[in-house]
Amino acid sequence: MLRSQEQIPQASTAPHCFQKMQWITNPLAYMEAASQECGDIFKAPIIGKYPYVLLVSHPQALQEIFANHHQFISPPNPLVQPIVGDYSLFVLEGERHRRERKLLMPSFHGERILAYGQLISNLTEKVMTQLHPGQVFTARDLIQEISLEVILQAVFGIHSGERFNELKQEIITLTDGFRSPLKSGALFFPSLQKDLGAWSPWGSFLRNKGRISQLLLAEIQERRQEGNPTRSDILSLLLETKDESGEGMTDEQLRDELITLLLAGQETTATAISWGLYWIYKLPEVRDKLHQELASLGDKATPMEIVSLPYLTAVCQETLRIYPVAILTVPREVKEPVELMGYQLEIGTRIYGCIYLTHHRPDLYPQPKQFKPERFLDRQFTPYQFLPFGGGIRRCLGEALALFEMKLVLAKIVFNYQLTLADKQPEYPQRRGVTLAPARGVRMMMQG
Ligand code: HEM
């Protein structure tokens, strides 16, 4: 029998502000308790102005949401809009969103990605050779140097000079601004989004974002004047784009799209690679098996050969399963009355796919808290059972690039360097803006 939306269980009976605080400070505990109590779908009063949103973790329900994008539309994302702006791919809807995705997609697939292989390899070598034996370092910070350079190369092509150094620094400052759960709080409480001067958290964020905007606008203007038709980077591609009435993109539209790619493209990948390093160096059997697989290729292996290795692929998948960088998909909204998991949903209801809970379902992943790459060798998972990059019309644009980079960097480090974990205590996941990252950034020591 079809039940009404009212009957969907509440994540908790605690006051809403308390639930929101727990969601910000300890999202995994919040979700796990709610799923034990309520199962595959529950109401959670955790996002912005909404009395509640629905969190869903059943693969069948996720399939319906992703496939029926006319009933479950993809509205602007209120959490990231203040960061990426009104013209970002994360915020665009409908036809405009579809067109812009189509335009950007080739830059993150096939041949274009292969071209980044040498760059990724060189950058990994560059950052690793900076370290001397005995040196302790934070893997996440080190890897961010690689992922930031890669995305700058993809977006701008050849880049160097004062403007780019400044841009890199400002981007790191911006992402570091959301490093801890406390600092991330303003994204979830719109009332805290107030400019109370340069020293206030939101005020300093706005100034930082303003400086990034100025640097990008200056670059856009220079590129418009340069008008070089031989360049194949993403900015050149966007500069050539015209809409159906023959209009090109405005400077502000271009700027928001560039910020989106620069931010989405490096934070997430750096986090995923540092988690990968953590598991590989925490579990000697994983490291040995991986090393053996890499050794079977020898040291002249091509990027294509490396990224096709089955055990390396399984290690990356398990890394993205156990602590997915994005714990939720971006939001969906009910456009017309629709049934989901036996409930009749009302127009306007906001729904999030809960990636973390789906990845921890014991029916799919026995002993879900254990890191076992073999599970990905033993069976295949559908895109609704394993979804670190989301799904449907908003599925991550950078998935192929992220996986390519993750595999190459991990392979290069494991094969060529001896490292150990520097901390005795286990690393643990912590909120970092809208993502989940290792709380201490994975402290490691270079052995040789
Ligand atoms: C391990 C690394 C990454 C992870 C885990 C990740 C995860 C995600 C997830 C979960 C979504 C939302 C999908 C949905 O709700 O259905 C998303 C969207 C997006 N990602 Fe990624 N991402 C990663 C790397 C990248 C990279 C390298 C780029 C480079 C450009 C990128 C660009 C984007 C963009 C532009 C969107 C918005 C797509 C849209 O709204 O149409 N991501 N990502």
Side-chain angles (χ1 to χ4, degrees):
M1 205 188 62
L2 205 57
R3 288 165 290 174
S4 80
Q5 185 167 318
E6 284 308 302
Q7 291 169 285
I8 297 177
Q10 308 264 4
S12 156
T13 49
H16 287 186
C17 63
F18 180 82
Q19 290 190 51
K20 212 175 200 181
M21 282 310 288
Q22 201 193 358
W23 169 248
I24 295 167
T25 54
N26 196 349
L28 301 191
Y30 178 79
M31 285 187 293
E32 278 171 350
S35 99
Q36 279 208 337
E37 194 64 31
C38 317
D40 302 323
I41 181 167
F42 52 85
K43 290 176 180 164
I46 52 173
I47 309 277
K49 58 181 191 236
Y50 300 95
Y52 64 81
V53 297
L54 299 181
L55 298 197
V56 179
S57 58
H58 197 287
Q60 178 67 39
L62 293 169
Q63 179 166 10
E64 285 170 36
I65 293 169
F66 291 152
N68 302 328
H69 62 263
H70 295 298
Q71 279 169 318
F72 296 98
I73 58 163
S74 197
N77 187 340
L79 291 182
V80 296
Q81 194 161 2
I83 306 178
V84 292
D86 298 340
Y87 302 107
S88 154
L89 200 62
F90 277 110
V91 178
L92 296 178
E93 290 178 88
E95 183 50 25
R96 185 74 209 274
H97 171 254
R98 198 191 62 80
R99 259 195 305 128
E100 206 133 320
R101 260 186 88 94
K102 203 167 147 213
L103 179 78
L104 289 169
M105 199 62 101
S107 301
F108 294 102
H109 282 86
E111 294 282 300
R112 296 298 295 274
I113 286 190
L114 280 180
Y116 303 129
Q118 196 56 48
L119 175 73
I120 295 170
S121 222
N122 293 347
L123 285 168
T124 311
E125 210 166 300
K126 187 175 130 199
V127 299
M128 292 307 287
T129 46
Q130 288 166 12
L131 302 169
H132 54 77
Q135 185 170 343
V136 173
F137 62 97
T138 303
R140 208 190 160 286
D141 295 345
L142 198 80
I143 303 296
Q144 198 170 1
E145 286 184 39
I146 304 175
S147 58
L148 185 51
E149 286 279 347
V150 171
I151 197 70
L152 282 169
Q153 179 80 21
V155 169
F156 298 106
I158 299 160
H159 63 272
S160 55
E162 207 179 312
R163 186 181 296 149
F164 279 100
N165 288 337
E166 228 179 297
L167 186 59
K168 267 192 265 185
Q169 206 38 60
E170 293 292 350
I171 290 172
I172 292 173
T173 309
L174 191 131
T175 54
D176 266 3
F178 297 106
R179 194 177 43 221
S180 67
L182 198 69
K183 289 183 168 182
S184 310
L187 293 176
F188 297 87
F189 287 102
S191 56
L192 295 180
Q193 295 178 3
K194 294 225 164 64
D195 183 357
L196 302 174
W199 297 101
S200 67
W202 198 253
S204 98
F205 159 70
L206 289 178
R207 282 159 184 78
N208 179 202
K209 198 184 149 199
R211 289 190 296 273
I212 295 180
S213 173
Q214 273 171 11
L215 291 165
L216 289 175
L217 289 172
E219 180 67 18
I220 292 167
Q221 306 239 317
E222 209 171 286
R223 285 295 223 30
R224 278 199 199 281
Q225 279 158 16
E226 185 188 298
N228 181 348
T230 61
R231 297 181 74 141
S232 59
D233 53 72
I234 293 172
L235 175 53
S236 307
L237 193 82
L238 293 176
L239 281 167
E240 290 298 306
T241 309
K242 302 266 183 287
D243 65 15
E244 59 282 0
S245 59
E247 288 288 314
M249 288 171 81
T250 64
D251 285 1
E252 287 69 28
Q253 287 172 323
L254 285 166
R255 175 204 56 200
D256 288 358
E257 220 49 293
L258 298 182
I259 291 190
T260 302
L261 298 174
L262 293 178
L263 293 181
Q266 47 89 30
E267 267 262 272
T268 45
T269 315
T271 294
I273 298 174
S274 36
W275 273 128
L277 286 172
Y278 173 71
W279 291 112
I280 292 167
Y281 287 91
K282 181 177 164 60
L283 303 169
E285 66 280 10
V286 173
R287 187 176 61 239
D288 291 349
K289 216 165 156 184
L290 188 56
H291 199 276
Q292 255 174 32
E293 187 182 59
L294 293 166
S296 71
L297 285 182
D299 53 8
K300 297 272 179 298
T302 63
M304 233 7 229
E305 285 171 324
I306 295 173
V307 300
S308 311
L309 289 171
Y311 191 68
L312 174 63
T313 304
V315 168
C316 293
Q317 288 169 316
E318 182 67 346
T319 300
L320 292 167
R321 178 197 70 81
I322 198 161
Y323 294 134
V325 181
I327 45 185
L328 301 181
T329 64
V330 297
R332 266 60 175 189
E333 192 175 290
V334 176
K335 179 81 191 309
E336 48 198 66
V338 64
E339 188 194 325
L340 189 75
M341 299 186 67
Y343 294 101
Q344 181 68 47
L345 302 189
E346 294 156 15
I347 295 175
T349 306
R350 288 241 156 170
I351 308 178
Y352 288 78
C354 194
I355 301 176
Y356 176 81
L357 287 180
T358 309
H359 285 186
H360 282 252
R361 294 177 70 91
D363 57 340
L364 295 174
Y365 304 101
Q367 299 172 302
K369 301 257 177 269
Q370 289 192 19
F371 188 87
K372 293 183 180 182
E374 284 72 16
R375 57 175 110 239
F376 284 93
L377 300 173
D378 296 343
R379 69 166 280 193
Q380 291 237 316
F381 295 92
T382 70
Y384 316 105
Q385 297 170 333
F386 178 62
L387 60 155
F389 297 98
I393 56 168
R394 294 252 174 210
R395 188 174 173 134
C396 176
L397 194 76
E399 170 175 0
L401 173 62
L403 285 173
F404 184 74
E405 195 172 329
M406 192 176 176
K407 290 180 188 178
L408 281 191
V409 173
L410 289 176
K412 180 113 189 149
I413 293 179
V414 172
F415 193 59
N416 294 293
Y417 302 92
Q418 284 180 327
L419 306 176
T420 47
L421 291 179
D423 287 348
K424 293 265 180 298
Q425 306 91 325
E427 186 54 271
Y428 61 96
Q430 179 179 278
R431 175 178 293 290
R432 190 181 163 98
V434 293
T435 67
L436 195 68
R440 294 188 300 268
V442 183
R443 309 269 301 142
M444 303 196 77
M445 187 190 280
M446 169 61 93
Q447 300 291 348

